[in-house]
């Protein structure tokens, strides 16, 4: 076992984690930072983001407008002080990435170009063709390699947080390659493990997005905020769930039904295809239910039509869209519409933090999709999430630095106890159990199907009650899951079991939060409570882990200057 | 995956803590025409044999995790269709030959990380411009100069295809050298001198014999072979210029 200690441990090597690590490294070179990630950082799911990242960069735009768009997009569930902070800091993050070498797409004047995006009232989204996530991730990862004080633990899987005297004191982690558990002492811990899309079956998310950081914090007594707010992206490839970027619509792509009609004129004539994602996803489902969808081998879908954009524009600005359509569907979007349907994409909810990334446990921070600050409220606008990773990555890295510098090293007794507990749970329990009637893959699939069916785009009391009950049963059945692979080295059966354990916690938090919010707001659409109910629900949901069902509590929304109004586009 | 057709996946297995060495195991995998080799491996993992070990994540050709040898060629398994891969009714899957196997289809990736870091893959400035002063101007043609090399996803298929690297793992290798060119050609960068010191060496660009296989297997058309030839030319020009005009040495 290694004896490891860092001033700050960052869990997760995507955009948020890397940005936090670099901010900490730059603010004080004497600080030691451990970057612990279950994959090599450039595999993180930030890599799959396509369309762009938002910031006010030009004279035609201003902070007030970006705030208003974001708050309106959130259906007034965003905390407005956090949104103001966010919007004011986006531009400097864009410039910082330019200084670190990001290959931004440029205007003819040499400045960073911007494109239109859903719910944004002006061209505000900076981009790099349609591979912005890939470029942000690689730019940040490569930049992080400059700093010797950032020590990476690639392919280490964090299984537990260490809490000593009520404060975060490090993590217990499995070195996947060696198959050994260690504790890593730290003065501050930053959770940046991304979202939890894999609790759903039809998702744009990569396999690694299993809510690890959310579950780690939840188990340490931190509430998960607004977990019922799950974003479904309107343009995913049927079958695989592969994402086709919103930039396709930002560049002029349209959505059509089987009669070739731009059906958004029925649902959102003011914004058409550039409406926010929650409204577009619901419109597609309604259009399909009305019998106007196309039929395909993977069910009904609608068409994303780029034909009128022409080959040159598609190749210059949307090369990955063409690549994905050609590769996975065998069709060329220059000549044919792309089949699309809504799929799970993003979780607005997450570990409850303030705008400094702080949780209710001293020394424990969360940032990025893992966290809920919240600037996204009930519906995130496309291209705000990468900016969120950058702005709050920096803020969180700096607040963790300040905290670590005034904090003594933990004594280490809690670390030893946590390690012994994890040894017993993982190698004494899970690894020793034989594979019986319960398997990781079967329980995972059942969970995903429950979530797709009853905690999806449209929800009601009956379905949600049913989902809560079934998820509780799955939690009990998980206790009988065993592992066939007894070889400790790189045991992905074991890590998948640990991930499923985390996902079951997250799925329960989502379902129970959704059951208890008896209104429709943003992405949370209840067919039995179809109106927004500010009198009773202009508040954040908080899910606390408890025996059996989560305990649901609430927190007021911070309103600064934008009073809630009907959300009309 | 209730396809009507099925095919044999012949997978190279290796358990480091087991008693036997590497061996092949056959699995019968049903498939549809729109399914990729990675889908087949996941079918095996979920339905037939949970001990099968491989890396994957995005399943859309951008995270770079799932590179393997498919019927002897380095491929991203998420972008290789079973219908195209099956030869004689068999899809044979081996770990990439570039690095040692840790377990089954998982290889040791650390040697690549060392080569990659060697070329200083970050923007180098003599003096940092304050963020408050805004972005560096860069025109569309400036972007074109390095864009191709910036598309590398670090999947290391090129290392598996490179006969030079197979013979000498000290060779810095295709993806890392292409990344050096990516930064050298970036108008914002001033680190060319530092990088040429690292790569214009015996185990750097001069070890490449221009076989070109790296560019053939690259799933992102980064063309590392072309990049290395460009670097050789640039290194030679720099040397000549230094000899002839010692005072006007380029950065």
């Amino acid at each position: 076992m290694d004896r490891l200690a860092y001033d700050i441990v960052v869990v997760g090597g995507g955009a948020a984690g890397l940005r936090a690590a670099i901010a900490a490294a730059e603010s004080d070179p004497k600080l030691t930072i451990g970057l612990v990630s279950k994959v090599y950082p450039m595999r993180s799911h930030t890599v799959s983001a396509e369309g762009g990242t938002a910031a006010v960069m030009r004279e035609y735009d201003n902070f007030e407008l970006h705030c208003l768009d974001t708050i309106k997009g959130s259906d007034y569930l965003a905390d407005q002080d956090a949104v103001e902070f966010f919007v004011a800091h986006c531009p400097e993050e864009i410039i910082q990435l330019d200084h670190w070498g990001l290959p931004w797409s440029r205007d003819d004047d040499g400045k960073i170009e911007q494109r239109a995006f859903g719910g944004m009232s002006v061209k505000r989204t900076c981009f790099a063709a349609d591979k912005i996530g890939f470029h942000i991730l690689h730019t940040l990862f490569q930049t992080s390699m400059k700093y010797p004080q950032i020590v990476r633990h690639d392919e280490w899987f964090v299984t537990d947080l260490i809490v000593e005297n009520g404060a975060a004191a490090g993590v217990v982690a499995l070195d996947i390659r060696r198959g050994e558990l260690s504790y890593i002492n730290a003065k501050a811990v930053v959770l940046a493990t991304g979202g939890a899309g894999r609790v759903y079956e039809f998702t744009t998310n990569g396999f690694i997005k299993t809510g690890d950081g959310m579950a780690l914090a939840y188990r340490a007594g931190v509430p998960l905020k607004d977990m019922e707010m799950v974003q479904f992206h309107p343009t995913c490839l049927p079958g695989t769930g592969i994402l086709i970027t919103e930039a396709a619509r930002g560049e002029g792509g349209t959505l059509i039904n089987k009669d070739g009609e731009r059906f958004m004129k029925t649902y959102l004539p003011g914004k058409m295809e550039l409406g926010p994602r929650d409204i577009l996803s619901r419109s597609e489902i309604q259009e399909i239910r009305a019998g106007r969808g196309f039929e395909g081998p993977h069910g009904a879908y609608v068409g994303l039509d780029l034909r009128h954009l022409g080959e040159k524009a598609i190749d210059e600005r949307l090369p990955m869209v063409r690549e994905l359509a050609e590769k996975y569907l065998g069709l060329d979007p220059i000549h044919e519409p792309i089949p699309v349907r809504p799929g799970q994409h993003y979780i607005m909810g997450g570990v409850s933090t303030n705008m400094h990334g702080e949780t209710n446990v001293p020394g424990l921070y969360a940032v990025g999709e893992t966290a809920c600050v919240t600037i996204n409220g009930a519906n995130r606008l496309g291209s705000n999430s990468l900016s969120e990773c950058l702005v709050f990555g920096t803020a969180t890295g700096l607040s963790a630095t300040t905290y670590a510098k005034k904090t003594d090293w933990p004594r280490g007794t809690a670390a030893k106890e946590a390690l012994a507990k994890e040894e017993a749970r993982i190698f004494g329990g899970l690894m020793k159990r034989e594979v019986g009637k319960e398997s990781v893959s079967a329980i995972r699939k059942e969970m995903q199907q429950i979530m797709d069916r009853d905690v999806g785009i449209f929800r009601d009391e009956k379905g949600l009650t049913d989902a809560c009950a079934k998820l509780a049963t799955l939690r009990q059945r998980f206790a009988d899951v065993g592992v066939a692979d007894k070889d400790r080295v790189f045991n992905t059966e074991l890590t998948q079991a640990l991930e499923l354990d985390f996902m079951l916690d997250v799925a329960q938090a989502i379902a129970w939060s959704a059951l208890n919010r008896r209104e429709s707001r943003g992405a949370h659409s209840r067919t039995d409570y179809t109106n927004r109910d500010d009198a009773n629900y202009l508040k954040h949901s908080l899910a606390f882990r408890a025996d059996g069902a989560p305990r649901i509590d609430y927190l007021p929304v911070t309103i600064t200057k934008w009073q809630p109004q009907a959300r009309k586009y | 995956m209730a396809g009507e057709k099925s095919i044999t996946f012949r997978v190279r297995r290796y358990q480091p803590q087991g008693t036997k060495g590497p061996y092949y195991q056959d699995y019968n995998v049903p498939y549809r025409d729109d399914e990729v080799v990675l889908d087949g491996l996941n079918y095996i993992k979920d339905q037939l044999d949970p001990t099968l070990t491989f890396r994957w994540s995005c399943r859309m050709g951008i995270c770079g995790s799932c590179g393997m040898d498919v019927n002897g060629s380095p491929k991203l398994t998420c972008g290789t269709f079973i219908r195209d891969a099956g030869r004689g009714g068999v899809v044979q899957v081996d770990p990439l030959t570039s690095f040692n196997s840790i377990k089954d289809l998982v290889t040791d990736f650390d040697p690549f990380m060392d080569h990659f870091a060697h070329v200083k893959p970050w923007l180098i400035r003599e003096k940092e411009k304050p963020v408050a002063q805004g972005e560096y101007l860069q025109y569309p043609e400036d972007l074109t100069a390095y864009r191709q090399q910036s598309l590398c996803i670090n999947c290391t298929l090129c290392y598996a295809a490179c006969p030079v690297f197979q013979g000498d793992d000290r060779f810095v290798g295709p993806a890392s050298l292409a990344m050096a060119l990516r930064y050298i050609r970036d108008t914002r960068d001033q680190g060319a001198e530092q990088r040429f010191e690292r790569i214009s060496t015996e185990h750097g660009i001069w070890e490449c014999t221009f076989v070109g296989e790296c560019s053939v297997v690259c799933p992102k058309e980064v063309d590392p072979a072309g990049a290395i030839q460009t670097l050789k030319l640039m290194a030679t020009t720099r040397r000549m210029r230094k000899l002839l005009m010692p005072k006007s040495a380029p950065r």
Side-chain angles (χ1 to χ4, degrees), chain A residues 261-512:
Chain A
E261 291 168 344
R262 288 177 67 182
F263 58 85
M264 284 310 298
K265 68 176 189 273
T266 316
Y267 305 96
L268 199 66
K271 281 262 178 191
M272 295 298 283
E273 287 87 357
L274 286 178
R277 291 173 177 174
D278 55 337
I279 298 176
L280 262 74
S281 287
R282 283 195 290 272
S283 305
E284 288 180 7
I285 295 297
Q286 286 171 285
E287 194 66 7
I288 286 168
R289 285 183 181 168
R292 292 189 291 270
F294 299 88
E295 282 302 324
H298 300 284
Y301 62 87
V302 297
L304 173 63
D305 194 353
L306 308 182
R307 288 174 294 186
H308 52 287
L309 303 184
E311 184 166 4
K312 185 167 178 286
I314 290 174
D315 281 349
E316 273 177 22
R317 303 169 77 85
L318 304 166
M320 187 148 150
V321 169
R322 191 173 184 194
E323 181 186 324
L324 291 170
E326 286 184 332
K327 176 148 258 175
Y328 292 100
L329 298 174
L331 68 82
D332 188 344
I334 291 166
H335 305 298
E336 284 177 83
I338 305 171
V340 292
R341 53 167 279 214
Q344 194 284 341
H345 182 58
Y346 184 89
I347 299 200
M348 273 73 75
V351 178
S352 182
T353 71
N354 61 19
M355 66 177 99
H356 309 293
E358 295 163 340
T359 67
N360 60 341
V361 172
L364 182 63
Y365 300 79
V367 65
E369 193 179 349
T370 307
C372 180
V373 178
T374 169
I375 60 158
N376 300 312
N379 175 68
R380 175 176 72 80
L381 293 189
S383 75
N384 266 352
S385 64
L386 288 166
S387 300
E388 175 178 5
C389 289
L390 299 169
V391 169
F392 293 104
T394 302
T396 302
L398 294 178
S399 47
T401 300
T402 307
Y403 177 86
K405 283 163 83 169
K406 62 171 198 212
T407 303
D408 292 331
W409 287 101
R411 291 180 54 236
T413 41
K416 292 191 182 76
E417 284 167 20
L419 180 65
K421 184 177 69 91
E422 289 301 274
E423 281 282 356
R425 178 174 78 100
I426 295 167
F427 290 115
L430 191 54
M431 271 284 273
K432 285 244 171 74
R433 276 200 296 278
E434 294 306 320
V435 174
K437 59 184 195 302
E438 301 295 357
S439 74
V440 170
S441 61
I443 291 182
R444 186 173 58 210
K445 184 148 199 153
E446 278 188 53
M447 170 192 70
Q448 291 170 336
Q449 290 177 343
I450 292 165
M451 295 300 287
D452 274 14
R453 187 179 62 238
D454 288 325
V455 200
I457 295 176
F458 290 106
R459 306 160 174 186
D460 62 26
E461 192 82 9
K462 185 175 168 300
L464 290 168
T465 307
D466 193 42
C468 289
K470 285 188 171 138
L471 289 170
T473 311
L474 288 184
R475 169 49 79 195
Q476 288 170 356
R477 283 171 52 192
F478 180 78
D480 291 327
V481 161
V483 176
D485 188 354
K486 303 301 182 192
D487 189 323
R488 278 190 176 212
V489 173
F490 221 100
N491 193 323
T492 54
E493 189 187 10
L494 175 65
T495 50
Q496 287 187 19
L498 295 169
E499 288 171 336
L500 176 58
D501 196 344
F502 286 155
M503 284 195 286
L504 286 167
D505 274 12
V506 173
Q508 279 194 306
I510 295 172
W512 280 94

Side-chain angles (χ1 to χ4, degrees), chain A residues 496-539:
Chain A
Q496 287 187 19
L498 295 169
E499 288 171 336
L500 176 58
D501 196 344
F502 286 155
M503 284 195 286
L504 286 167
D505 274 12
V506 173
Q508 279 194 306
I510 295 172
W512 280 94
S513 302
L515 176 65
N516 281 279
R517 185 177 284 277
R518 292 180 177 88
E519 65 157 352
S520 288
R521 182 186 298 272
H524 178 66
S525 191
R526 294 272 309 235
T527 55
D528 45 357
Y529 300 93
T530 52
N531 294 324
R532 193 175 87 191
D533 178 3
D534 284 346
N536 292 304
Y537 289 104
L538 184 59
K539 57 190 182 184

Side-chain angles (χ1 to χ4, degrees), chain A residues 40 43 98-99 101-102 106 110 112 142 155 177 203 207 298 323 328 441 485 487-489 492, chain B residues 17 34 45-46 55-56 59 63 78 81 103 108 110 121 123 134-136 138 154 182-183 188 220:
Chain A
Y40 282 87
R43 313 304 188 208
D98 175 65
H99 291 195
L102 193 131
R106 304 278 174 161
I112 296 164
Q142 290 166 16
E155 299 193 321
R177 180 166 172 179
T203 176
F207 187 65
H298 300 284
E323 181 186 324
Y328 292 100
S441 61
D485 188 354
D487 189 323
R488 278 190 176 212
V489 173
T492 54
Chain B
Q17 295 185 331
D34 62 356
K45 177 102 181 154
D46 291 348
R55 294 186 180 106
W56 74 285
R59 54 77 176 93
C63 82
C78 72
F81 287 82
K103 184 177 188 173
D108 180 3
D110 285 342
L123 205 80
E135 73 252 67
Y136 296 110
Q138 199 165 58
N154 302 167
R182 173 254 177 274
Y183 279 103
R188 295 166 292 187
K220 296 288 153 186

Side-chain angles (χ1 to χ4, degrees), chain A residues 121-143:
Chain A
S121 44
V122 295
K123 287 187 179 181
R124 182 180 290 141
T125 299
C126 307
F127 61 101
D130 55 0
K131 298 189 178 184
I132 188 58
F134 164 79
H135 285 300
I136 285 182
L137 183 65
H138 282 250
T139 300
L140 287 174
F141 178 52
Q142 290 166 16
T143 300

